[in-house]
Every structure is written in structure tokens, then in C-alpha cells.
Amino acid sequence: SSGINAEYGGDVTRLLSPYISHSKKMSYKKLTERPIAGNLWFQCTMTLPAKGRGCHLITEHIEKVQELEEFKVGLCHIILLHTSASLTLNENWDPNVRNDMEMMLNKIAPEENIKYSHTCEGPDDMPAHVKSTLIGSEITIPIHNGKLTLGRWQGLWLCEHRNCAGTRKIVITLSGAPMTKS
């Protein structure tokens, strides 16, 4: 931190200023001109291929749901039907972030040197339940003009907490207003 302070004359705020709003007034931008009549619902299950332990980008799998294109504005809710993996939104560009996250999760919920009571499914199972609880198993992402509304560097991760997990099943629920007919 002293390096940053020295480089920016002790003013870290100057470094962060492009990311900080200094306005004291709330503002918003309309993404639709007016409320859209009608309501669509769609739900499907998806089986994700087996992945090794770690954090994996799965955004492209969700974006393949063709029915997304039918929604002008809405929500995409995703729930993972397992207790030893999790879902989160995070960095989608640098794979080192996913590697570092796996390292930190293993420090938070280690397999060794902890006397867990639940051990019948192997030494990686109880730490996997802890990690799943901390991160969560569901996520909701806005839909706008038929696409998921994510930040520039955001991606959906499947965090696989088991050493030898199989496929993972998710339920995707879309709800919202339909595209208007031209």
C-alpha cells in the first residue's frame, strides 16, 4: 500500500477516481422506455460436464439457452442441485483468479488438520459442503435484449469442490417481458 501511496502522492483516491462516483445524487438509466406488457416463463435443466476440482467458467453454457432471445427484460435464475459445489459471478478474463480462488478456499476450509465429524464420503466432502455454503448454490442475473447482463469482466463460475465429482445438474428459470413484435 505504501508503494501505491508513494506513486500517487499519497492520494489513492486519485488512482481509484474512475471507479468512484462522487455524485451525492442517485441516478438511473432506463433500459426500457416503458413497462412491457406480458410475462414469459421458461424453465429447463442442464447437465454440466464433469470438471476437475477448481473454479470453471460456465457462462457460455447458460448463453446457449435459445429461449433467452425471447426476453426483452427479465431475470435468469440458476440453481445448482448439489451440496458440494457452488455458483458465483467473478472475473472471467484471467484464469489465475480462478486458481487463486481455489487456493484461498482450500485455506478457508482445509481437508487436513481439521477433525470433521462427517467423513463417510471422503476427506474432501465436508470441506466441499463448507465452501458451497460460503459461496452459495444459486444466482440471479438480469436479462436485457435477449442476453445476460453481466459486467465487462464478469463470468459465471461453477466452483467444483470435490476431487472426483461427476456431472453437475442445474435448473435455469427465465422470467420477464417478451421481445416486442416489430
Side-chain angles (χ1 to χ4, degrees):
S1 125
S2 61
I4 291 174
N5 283 333
E7 184 177 344
Y8 290 92
D11 187 7
V12 175
T13 305
R14 199 171 102 215
L15 168 69
L16 298 175
S17 64
Y19 308 102
I20 300 172
S21 172
H22 299 284
S23 171
K24 297 198 189 287
K25 295 181 180 179
M26 189 281 299
S27 66
Y28 72 97
K29 177 183 174 186
K30 289 183 181 181
L31 297 178
T32 58
E33 283 299 311
R34 61 188 179 287
I36 302 168
N39 196 18
L40 293 178
W41 284 90
F42 174 77
Q43 190 171 66
C44 66
T45 61
M46 181 181 285
T47 302
L48 300 171
K51 300 279 188 184
R53 186 170 173 159
C55 301
H56 309 279
L57 277 174
I58 61 165
T59 312
E60 66 182 23
H61 294 292
I62 309 306
E63 290 172 335
K64 288 180 182 173
V65 175
Q66 293 176 341
E67 288 77 8
L68 267 170
E69 299 171 2
E70 297 178 30
F71 290 84
K72 175 71 175 170
V73 63
L75 297 172
C76 173
H77 182 264
I78 306 158
I79 186 165
L80 176 66
L81 302 179
H82 301 274
T83 61
S84 56
S86 55
L87 295 173
T88 190
L89 287 177
N90 214 311
E91 168 79 50
N92 70 352
W93 182 74
D94 183 356
N96 289 319
V97 175
R98 296 190 297 277
N99 296 334
D100 289 345
M101 183 64 72
E102 173 65 15
M103 176 193 62
M104 290 308 300
L105 289 171
N106 290 329
K107 288 181 183 287
I108 292 167
E111 289 179 28
E112 299 170 356
N113 301 321
I114 300 284
K115 187 160 175 60
Y116 295 109
S117 299
H118 174 68
T119 59
C120 62
E121 295 180 65
D124 64 336
D125 188 54
M126 190 57 217
H129 293 310
V130 172
K131 295 169 191 176
S132 176
T133 297
L134 291 173
I135 296 175
S137 60
E138 62 184 311
I139 202 124
T140 302
I141 303 169
I143 302 167
H144 182 69
N145 287 334
K147 296 183 191 271
L148 299 176
T149 306
L150 295 170
R152 181 176 186 173
W153 305 114
Q154 284 183 315
L156 180 61
W157 293 7
L158 168 70
C159 299
E160 181 53 70
H161 306 305
R162 296 298 307 268
N163 292 327
C164 298
T167 59
R168 296 297 191 171
K169 192 174 197 176
I170 58 176
V171 175
I172 301 168
T173 304
L174 307 177
S175 64
M179 288 287 192
T180 55
K181 306 282 185 213
S182 315

